[in-house]
Amino acid sequence: MKTTFYEPDKLSTFLASKKTLLAKGAIAQAGPEAKKLGAKKVMVVTDAGVMKAGLADTVRDSLSAAGLEVGVFDGILPEPPARVIDQCAEVFRKGGYDLCLGLGGGSSLDSAKIVSNLAANPGSVLEYVGMDMLPKKGTPLMLVPTTAGTGSEATRVMVLTDESDNTKKVVFSDYLLPDVSILDPELTLSVPPSVTADTGLDALVHAIETHVSVNATPYSDILSLQAIAMIARHLPQAYAKGGNLLPRYNMLLAANLSGSAFASGGLGAVHGLAYVLGTEYHMAHGRSNAIMLPHVMAFNLSGNLEKFAGIAEAMGEDITGLSPYEAAALSVEAVYSLMEAVNLSARLTDYGVSRDDLPKLVKGGMAQARLFVPNPRDLTEADVEQIYSSAF
Ligand SMILES: [Fe+2]
């Protein structure tokens, strides 16, 4: 790996869970860890799918064995609406719970992050949208991901849907970082191949966007490059042979590293241009990001040839003897190869998006222009149109 020269006068922040446990069977530590945090009554925040897979029972067993009272709220919905979060918070407040444990994908973890804090802050989650709007820290918080993708357990953000105008809103606060995260790859063994692919690509997008971001830090550089290498190496096998523990373990770790990287380094135009695919065509978050990834990368190359060459190398491409541009361009090829290995197309027409929808896509993409700021190359409306066009 090349030596990188950092800027000593630029402020870098490193964010992560206060404590992270990683191992097959680590979920057995949920009870002892909750006890160490002083808990007596724990609420598990999750969704119906996780409940059905029996994963909430595994967590409940560990908590009960430690002598803790346990309740379960399993009503979390994808892109959680404020209404559901408020309802969950009401159950939490009234039930006298003193620890919130999020179990599931990004929606359940994000919900638990804010619910633990709504215990100490009155009213609706909508009152705390924005930067550092939570005046008080709530109860202790534990997070247990059951997919390898969002890295939500390592970030200080949560995303919700405001149904009044059907937009996404974001809460940023240091209080959203958990006291304990438990990464147990056994909990991810039953994730179906298509979800493994979507969530794995989401983690890859986090790592790549952060790596080339103008807000990259020494921490995000180190973590994201390692995560990219691990995802390229292990995602195909996690997809092909979901019951194998080793690729699941590596993907869970890679998603966590990516989360920690983007928590300090920030995202970019892939997330910006993917957003409208989620709202207009109801595509899963990871899927919409995967589709846009190679197209945005191809556009971005000139913004940071060296970093893109590093990504190509991390993904196993041989860049010796190549010009900087050739080496950087190989990163796009590597992403296409990985997507092919997990059966994901980067063509919008393969997902029923019509060419006639181009103006709608451009409008939706431009509405997320705040995510263009950390992008390594500036985007005009014409650029946005060209990127979407290349995705047809
Ligand atoms: Fe994402």
Side-chain angles (χ1 to χ4, degrees):
M1 205 187 291
K2 280 200 193 104
T3 309
T4 308
F5 296 94
Y6 299 114
E7 300 164 60
D9 54 350
K10 188 170 159 184
L11 182 68
S12 297
T13 309
F14 174 68
L15 296 165
S17 176
K18 210 178 270 178
K19 183 177 193 176
T20 303
L21 304 176
L22 164 71
K24 171 189 179 224
I27 194 61
Q29 300 305 312
E33 290 296 332
K35 255 186 125 164
K36 272 189 226 169
L37 290 167
K40 292 202 165 54
K41 191 174 180 187
V42 179
M43 185 158 96
V44 177
V45 173
T46 190
D47 65 48
V50 168
M51 204 57 192
K52 213 173 138 202
L55 301 178
D57 295 333
T58 312
V59 177
R60 196 204 301 256
D61 290 348
S62 170
L63 295 168
S64 302
L68 300 166
E69 245 189 286
V70 188
V72 177
F73 181 94
D74 66 356
I76 298 302
L77 300 175
E79 323 287 342
R83 164 181 57 84
V84 173
I85 291 168
D86 288 345
Q87 192 192 339
C88 181
E90 209 40 42
V91 176
F92 192 77
R93 286 171 182 140
K94 285 198 173 136
Y97 292 97
D98 53 16
L99 189 145
C100 189
L101 187 151
L103 172 74
S107 301
S108 291
L109 301 193
D110 276 12
S111 299
K113 284 158 81 168
I114 189 68
V115 165
S116 71
N117 283 293
L118 289 174
N121 298 282
S124 165
V125 59
L126 290 170
E127 291 167 44
Y128 304 103
V129 165
M131 190 65 74
D132 296 324
M133 297 295 285
L134 284 164
K136 283 192 204 152
K137 174 150 174 54
T139 68
L141 171 68
M142 287 173 67
L143 296 177
V144 183
T146 61
T147 61
T150 66
S152 169
E153 72 280 2
T155 73
R156 65 190 294 269
V157 303
M158 67 84 46
V159 184
L160 65 137
T161 303
D162 182 350
E163 289 175 316
S164 69
D165 56 359
N166 203 28
T167 55
K168 278 194 189 178
K169 298 274 160 70
V170 185
V171 179
F172 298 86
S173 168
D174 289 350
Y175 298 152
L176 299 182
L177 285 162
D179 297 281
V180 176
S181 298
I182 299 181
L183 308 181
D184 184 341
E186 273 189 319
L187 302 182
T188 69
L189 291 177
S190 61
V191 176
S194 72
V195 180
T196 299
D198 289 345
T199 50
L201 258 296
D202 187 31
L204 181 69
V205 172
H206 294 160
I208 290 179
E209 291 223 274
T210 301
H211 198 64
V212 299
S213 163
V214 300
N215 294 334
T217 71
Y219 298 103
S220 71
D221 273 352
I222 293 162
L223 296 172
S224 58
L225 203 58
Q226 179 64 23
I228 291 164
M230 290 174 75
I231 294 166
R233 169 93 170 72
H234 296 286
L235 180 59
Q237 213 192 348
Y239 173 83
K241 210 74 184 157
N244 270 10
L245 200 68
L246 189 66
R248 294 294 199 180
Y249 174 96
N250 282 289
M251 282 305 300
L252 200 53
L253 174 56
N256 181 254
L257 297 178
S258 296
S260 199
F262 95 73
S264 56
L267 299 172
V270 180
H271 272 77
L273 299 191
Y275 179 79
V276 66
L277 299 177
T279 52
E280 290 291 329
Y281 305 92
H282 306 290
M283 286 184 202
H285 174 81
R287 176 76 53 96
S288 60
N289 277 283
I291 296 167
M292 296 315 296
L293 177 63
H295 309 294
V296 173
M297 283 174 75
F299 172 82
N300 277 345
L301 291 180
S302 54
N304 201 329
L305 291 176
E306 200 183 341
K307 283 260 179 88
F308 279 107
I311 291 170
E313 202 173 20
M315 295 186 78
E317 300 291 333
D318 184 2
I319 61 166
T320 43
L322 298 182
S323 72
Y325 197 86
E326 287 169 331
L330 269 188
S331 66
V332 183
E333 295 311 311
V335 165
Y336 275 121
S337 301
L338 181 60
M339 288 181 69
E340 201 177 275
V342 297
N343 208 16
L344 276 177
S345 160
R347 294 270 147 246
L348 285 169
T349 39
D350 289 339
Y351 301 94
V353 181
S354 158
R355 274 176 189 279
D356 299 340
D357 290 354
L358 187 59
K360 187 163 77 176
L361 295 177
V362 174
K363 190 170 171 241
M366 290 306 292
Q368 301 301 314
R370 67 182 175 87
L371 283 164
F372 302 168
V373 180
N375 199 64
R377 184 174 168 188
D378 289 335
L379 288 93
T380 62
E381 189 165 336
D383 295 327
V384 169
E385 187 173 339
Q386 180 254 306
I387 294 169
Y388 281 124
S389 297
S390 70
F392 280 105

mmCIF file of all heavy atoms in Angstrom, residues 23-57:
data_model
loop_
_atom_site.group_PDB
_atom_site.id
_atom_site.type_symbol
_atom_site.label_atom_id
_atom_site.label_comp_id
_atom_site.label_asym_id
_atom_site.label_seq_id
_atom_site.Cartn_x
_atom_site.Cartn_y
_atom_site.Cartn_z
ATOM 1 N N ALA A 23 -17.884 -12.087 17.214
ATOM 2 C CA ALA A 23 -17.562 -13.527 17.203
ATOM 3 C C ALA A 23 -18.822 -14.318 16.897
ATOM 4 O O ALA A 23 -19.942 -13.834 17.137
ATOM 5 C CB ALA A 23 -17.019 -14.001 18.541
ATOM 6 N N LYS A 24 -18.631 -15.509 16.411
ATOM 7 C CA LYS A 24 -19.729 -16.472 16.334
ATOM 8 C C LYS A 24 -20.215 -16.703 17.759
ATOM 9 O O LYS A 24 -19.410 -16.966 18.659
ATOM 10 C CB LYS A 24 -19.190 -17.777 15.740
ATOM 11 C CG LYS A 24 -20.155 -18.919 15.807
ATOM 12 C CD LYS A 24 -19.472 -20.208 15.404
ATOM 13 C CE LYS A 24 -20.454 -21.348 15.505
ATOM 14 N NZ LYS A 24 -19.919 -22.545 16.133
ATOM 15 N N GLY A 25 -21.506 -16.551 17.988
ATOM 16 C CA GLY A 25 -22.043 -16.782 19.331
ATOM 17 C C GLY A 25 -21.923 -15.596 20.276
ATOM 18 O O GLY A 25 -22.293 -15.691 21.446
ATOM 19 N N ALA A 26 -21.433 -14.457 19.771
ATOM 20 C CA ALA A 26 -21.252 -13.280 20.637
ATOM 21 C C ALA A 26 -22.571 -12.793 21.233
ATOM 22 O O ALA A 26 -22.575 -12.104 22.265
ATOM 23 C CB ALA A 26 -20.582 -12.142 19.859
ATOM 24 N N ILE A 27 -23.679 -13.172 20.618
ATOM 25 C CA ILE A 27 -24.983 -12.707 21.104
ATOM 26 C C ILE A 27 -25.236 -13.171 22.549
ATOM 27 O O ILE A 27 -25.999 -12.540 23.286
ATOM 28 C CB ILE A 27 -26.122 -13.166 20.147
ATOM 29 C CG1 ILE A 27 -27.416 -12.410 20.460
ATOM 30 C CG2 ILE A 27 -26.341 -14.665 20.172
ATOM 31 C CD1 ILE A 27 -27.330 -10.920 20.305
ATOM 32 N N ALA A 28 -24.565 -14.245 22.962
ATOM 33 C CA ALA A 28 -24.710 -14.724 24.344
ATOM 34 C C ALA A 28 -24.237 -13.672 25.344
ATOM 35 O O ALA A 28 -24.574 -13.740 26.532
ATOM 36 C CB ALA A 28 -23.924 -16.021 24.537
ATOM 37 N N GLN A 29 -23.471 -12.687 24.873
ATOM 38 C CA GLN A 29 -22.975 -11.629 25.753
ATOM 39 C C GLN A 29 -23.992 -10.507 25.957
ATOM 40 O O GLN A 29 -23.744 -9.585 26.743
ATOM 41 C CB GLN A 29 -21.678 -11.019 25.186
ATOM 42 C CG GLN A 29 -20.538 -12.011 25.016
ATOM 43 C CD GLN A 29 -20.224 -12.740 26.305
ATOM 44 O OE1 GLN A 29 -20.099 -12.120 27.353
ATOM 45 N NE2 GLN A 29 -20.138 -14.063 26.232
ATOM 46 N N ALA A 30 -25.122 -10.567 25.248
ATOM 47 C CA ALA A 30 -26.107 -9.477 25.351
ATOM 48 C C ALA A 30 -26.544 -9.270 26.800
ATOM 49 O O ALA A 30 -26.577 -8.139 27.298
ATOM 50 C CB ALA A 30 -27.317 -9.760 24.455
ATOM 51 N N GLY A 31 -26.873 -10.354 27.495
ATOM 52 C CA GLY A 31 -27.328 -10.266 28.891
ATOM 53 C C GLY A 31 -26.268 -9.677 29.808
ATOM 54 O O GLY A 31 -26.504 -8.651 30.465
ATOM 55 N N PRO A 32 -25.083 -10.309 29.857
ATOM 56 C CA PRO A 32 -24.030 -9.767 30.731
ATOM 57 C C PRO A 32 -23.696 -8.297 30.419
ATOM 58 O O PRO A 32 -23.488 -7.496 31.335
ATOM 59 C CB PRO A 32 -22.828 -10.673 30.427
ATOM 60 C CG PRO A 32 -23.422 -11.978 29.971
ATOM 61 C CD PRO A 32 -24.701 -11.623 29.278
ATOM 62 N N GLU A 33 -23.671 -7.923 29.135
ATOM 63 C CA GLU A 33 -23.335 -6.536 28.775
ATOM 64 C C GLU A 33 -24.440 -5.571 29.217
ATOM 65 O O GLU A 33 -24.158 -4.466 29.689
ATOM 66 C CB GLU A 33 -23.095 -6.404 27.264
ATOM 67 C CG GLU A 33 -21.819 -7.065 26.781
ATOM 68 C CD GLU A 33 -20.546 -6.437 27.367
ATOM 69 O OE1 GLU A 33 -20.561 -5.232 27.697
ATOM 70 O OE2 GLU A 33 -19.549 -7.164 27.508
ATOM 71 N N ALA A 34 -25.700 -5.994 29.054
ATOM 72 C CA ALA A 34 -26.819 -5.142 29.475
ATOM 73 C C ALA A 34 -26.760 -4.923 30.991
ATOM 74 O O ALA A 34 -27.021 -3.831 31.486
ATOM 75 C CB ALA A 34 -28.146 -5.778 29.072
ATOM 76 N N LYS A 35 -26.407 -5.973 31.701
ATOM 77 C CA LYS A 35 -26.293 -5.876 33.169
ATOM 78 C C LYS A 35 -25.195 -4.893 33.561
ATOM 79 O O LYS A 35 -25.373 -4.072 34.458
ATOM 80 C CB LYS A 35 -25.982 -7.251 33.751
ATOM 81 C CG LYS A 35 -27.200 -7.869 34.417
ATOM 82 C CD LYS A 35 -26.835 -9.148 35.102
ATOM 83 C CE LYS A 35 -27.245 -9.097 36.574
ATOM 84 N NZ LYS A 35 -27.242 -10.441 37.166
ATOM 85 N N LYS A 36 -24.062 -4.977 32.846
ATOM 86 C CA LYS A 36 -22.949 -4.058 33.137
ATOM 87 C C LYS A 36 -23.380 -2.609 32.935
ATOM 88 O O LYS A 36 -22.851 -1.696 33.562
ATOM 89 C CB LYS A 36 -21.767 -4.348 32.207
ATOM 90 C CG LYS A 36 -20.818 -5.405 32.727
ATOM 91 C CD LYS A 36 -19.583 -5.454 31.864
ATOM 92 C CE LYS A 36 -19.244 -6.895 31.541
ATOM 93 N NZ LYS A 36 -18.226 -7.042 30.511
ATOM 94 N N LEU A 37 -24.334 -2.403 32.010
ATOM 95 C CA LEU A 37 -24.822 -1.041 31.756
ATOM 96 C C LEU A 37 -25.892 -0.634 32.774
ATOM 97 O O LEU A 37 -26.494 0.436 32.656
ATOM 98 C CB LEU A 37 -25.379 -0.945 30.327
ATOM 99 C CG LEU A 37 -24.323 -1.017 29.206
ATOM 100 C CD1 LEU A 37 -24.985 -1.225 27.841
ATOM 101 C CD2 LEU A 37 -23.469 0.255 29.183
ATOM 102 N N GLY A 38 -26.145 -1.505 33.739
ATOM 103 C CA GLY A 38 -27.074 -1.168 34.811
ATOM 104 C C GLY A 38 -28.534 -1.431 34.497
ATOM 105 O O GLY A 38 -29.419 -0.948 35.210
ATOM 106 N N ALA A 39 -28.801 -2.201 33.432
ATOM 107 C CA ALA A 39 -30.192 -2.414 33.015
ATOM 108 C C ALA A 39 -30.913 -3.406 33.920
ATOM 109 O O ALA A 39 -30.297 -4.322 34.477
ATOM 110 C CB ALA A 39 -30.218 -2.924 31.577
ATOM 111 N N LYS A 40 -32.242 -3.166 34.046
ATOM 112 C CA LYS A 40 -33.108 -4.132 34.731
ATOM 113 C C LYS A 40 -34.206 -4.602 33.781
ATOM 114 O O LYS A 40 -34.667 -5.727 33.839
ATOM 115 C CB LYS A 40 -33.742 -3.485 35.965
ATOM 116 C CG LYS A 40 -32.719 -3.173 37.052
ATOM 117 C CD LYS A 40 -33.365 -3.044 38.419
ATOM 118 C CE LYS A 40 -32.352 -3.111 39.547
ATOM 119 N NZ LYS A 40 -31.238 -2.136 39.403
ATOM 120 N N LYS A 41 -34.625 -3.688 32.875
ATOM 121 C CA LYS A 41 -35.714 -4.018 31.957
ATOM 122 C C LYS A 41 -35.342 -3.551 30.540
ATOM 123 O O LYS A 41 -35.186 -2.349 30.306
ATOM 124 C CB LYS A 41 -37.001 -3.342 32.441
ATOM 125 C CG LYS A 41 -38.243 -3.833 31.725
ATOM 126 C CD LYS A 41 -39.506 -3.254 32.341
ATOM 127 C CE LYS A 41 -40.740 -3.751 31.599
ATOM 128 N NZ LYS A 41 -41.974 -3.106 32.049
ATOM 129 N N VAL A 42 -35.210 -4.492 29.622
ATOM 130 C CA VAL A 42 -34.704 -4.197 28.279
ATOM 131 C C VAL A 42 -35.816 -4.309 27.241
ATOM 132 O O VAL A 42 -36.585 -5.275 27.251
ATOM 133 C CB VAL A 42 -33.574 -5.200 27.901
ATOM 134 C CG1 VAL A 42 -33.052 -4.926 26.496
ATOM 135 C CG2 VAL A 42 -32.448 -5.133 28.918
ATOM 136 N N MET A 43 -35.898 -3.340 26.353
ATOM 137 C CA MET A 43 -36.817 -3.485 25.217
ATOM 138 C C MET A 43 -36.014 -3.777 23.955
ATOM 139 O O MET A 43 -35.090 -3.036 23.605
ATOM 140 C CB MET A 43 -37.665 -2.233 24.995
ATOM 141 C CG MET A 43 -38.696 -2.474 23.875
ATOM 142 S SD MET A 43 -40.102 -1.365 23.973
ATOM 143 C CE MET A 43 -39.585 -0.120 22.828
ATOM 144 N N VAL A 44 -36.397 -4.878 23.267
ATOM 145 C CA VAL A 44 -35.792 -5.238 21.991
ATOM 146 C C VAL A 44 -36.623 -4.586 20.895
ATOM 147 O O VAL A 44 -37.837 -4.792 20.821
ATOM 148 C CB VAL A 44 -35.763 -6.780 21.807
ATOM 149 C CG1 VAL A 44 -35.189 -7.145 20.440
ATOM 150 C CG2 VAL A 44 -34.963 -7.434 22.930
ATOM 151 N N VAL A 45 -35.982 -3.764 20.063
ATOM 152 C CA VAL A 45 -36.665 -3.069 18.966
ATOM 153 C C VAL A 45 -36.302 -3.764 17.663
ATOM 154 O O VAL A 45 -35.121 -3.837 17.296
ATOM 155 C CB VAL A 45 -36.253 -1.582 18.928
ATOM 156 C CG1 VAL A 45 -36.829 -0.886 17.699
ATOM 157 C CG2 VAL A 45 -36.709 -0.881 20.200
ATOM 158 N N THR A 46 -37.320 -4.305 16.976
ATOM 159 C CA THR A 46 -37.031 -5.103 15.786
ATOM 160 C C THR A 46 -38.224 -5.090 14.820
ATOM 161 O O THR A 46 -39.147 -4.304 14.983
ATOM 162 C CB THR A 46 -36.639 -6.542 16.222
ATOM 163 O OG1 THR A 46 -36.135 -7.250 15.100
ATOM 164 C CG2 THR A 46 -37.819 -7.309 16.820
ATOM 165 N N ASP A 47 -38.156 -5.938 13.784
ATOM 166 C CA ASP A 47 -39.271 -6.005 12.830
ATOM 167 C C ASP A 47 -39.831 -7.427 12.764
ATOM 168 O O ASP A 47 -39.257 -8.358 13.329
ATOM 169 C CB ASP A 47 -38.833 -5.519 11.446
ATOM 170 C CG ASP A 47 -37.778 -6.406 10.813
ATOM 171 O OD1 ASP A 47 -37.942 -7.636 10.793
ATOM 172 O OD2 ASP A 47 -36.764 -5.859 10.332
ATOM 173 N N ALA A 48 -40.936 -7.569 12.046
ATOM 174 C CA ALA A 48 -41.638 -8.856 12.008
ATOM 175 C C ALA A 48 -40.785 -9.957 11.378
ATOM 176 O O ALA A 48 -40.846 -11.116 11.803
ATOM 177 C CB ALA A 48 -42.954 -8.692 11.244
ATOM 178 N N GLY A 49 -39.995 -9.619 10.375
ATOM 179 C CA GLY A 49 -39.168 -10.615 9.685
ATOM 180 C C GLY A 49 -38.118 -11.217 10.607
ATOM 181 O O GLY A 49 -37.915 -12.432 10.634
ATOM 182 N N VAL A 50 -37.472 -10.363 11.380
ATOM 183 C CA VAL A 50 -36.445 -10.818 12.328
ATOM 184 C C VAL A 50 -37.096 -11.690 13.407
ATOM 185 O O VAL A 50 -36.554 -12.709 13.830
ATOM 186 C CB VAL A 50 -35.722 -9.601 12.951
ATOM 187 C CG1 VAL A 50 -34.877 -10.008 14.141
ATOM 188 C CG2 VAL A 50 -34.856 -8.909 11.902
ATOM 189 N N MET A 51 -38.292 -11.257 13.800
ATOM 190 C CA MET A 51 -39.072 -12.003 14.800
ATOM 191 C C MET A 51 -39.362 -13.412 14.287
ATOM 192 O O MET A 51 -39.152 -14.405 14.977
ATOM 193 C CB MET A 51 -40.376 -11.218 14.987
ATOM 194 C CG MET A 51 -41.100 -11.396 16.258
ATOM 195 S SD MET A 51 -40.120 -11.000 17.684
ATOM 196 C CE MET A 51 -41.223 -11.695 18.893
ATOM 197 N N LYS A 52 -39.813 -13.466 13.025
ATOM 198 C CA LYS A 52 -40.197 -14.740 12.410
ATOM 199 C C LYS A 52 -38.986 -15.669 12.263
ATOM 200 O O LYS A 52 -39.109 -16.885 12.393
ATOM 201 C CB LYS A 52 -40.813 -14.463 11.021
ATOM 202 C CG LYS A 52 -41.894 -15.453 10.640
ATOM 203 C CD LYS A 52 -42.570 -15.046 9.356
ATOM 204 C CE LYS A 52 -42.782 -16.276 8.479
ATOM 205 N NZ LYS A 52 -42.947 -15.920 7.073
ATOM 206 N N ALA A 53 -37.827 -15.077 12.015
ATOM 207 C CA ALA A 53 -36.609 -15.882 11.858
ATOM 208 C C ALA A 53 -36.117 -16.424 13.200
ATOM 209 O O ALA A 53 -35.141 -17.174 13.249
ATOM 210 C CB ALA A 53 -35.514 -15.058 11.185
ATOM 211 N N GLY A 54 -36.785 -16.027 14.293
ATOM 212 C CA GLY A 54 -36.423 -16.557 15.613
ATOM 213 C C GLY A 54 -35.231 -15.861 16.265
ATOM 214 O O GLY A 54 -34.772 -16.277 17.335
ATOM 215 N N LEU A 55 -34.755 -14.784 15.635
ATOM 216 C CA LEU A 55 -33.543 -14.136 16.160
ATOM 217 C C LEU A 55 -33.816 -13.379 17.461
ATOM 218 O O LEU A 55 -32.956 -13.289 18.336
ATOM 219 C CB LEU A 55 -32.942 -13.195 15.109
ATOM 220 C CG LEU A 55 -32.552 -13.858 13.783
ATOM 221 C CD1 LEU A 55 -32.003 -12.833 12.799
ATOM 222 C CD2 LEU A 55 -31.528 -14.966 14.014
ATOM 223 N N ALA A 56 -35.051 -12.849 17.583
ATOM 224 C CA ALA A 56 -35.390 -12.114 18.810
ATOM 225 C C ALA A 56 -35.393 -13.068 20.005
ATOM 226 O O ALA A 56 -35.031 -12.677 21.119
ATOM 227 C CB ALA A 56 -36.740 -11.428 18.666
ATOM 228 N N ASP A 57 -35.759 -14.333 19.767
ATOM 229 C CA ASP A 57 -35.757 -15.322 20.854
ATOM 230 C C ASP A 57 -34.342 -15.565 21.362
ATOM 231 O O ASP A 57 -34.118 -15.707 22.565
ATOM 232 C CB ASP A 57 -36.362 -16.653 20.371
ATOM 233 C CG ASP A 57 -37.837 -16.488 20.010
ATOM 234 O OD1 ASP A 57 -38.477 -15.592 20.590
ATOM 235 O OD2 ASP A 57 -38.323 -17.235 19.144
#
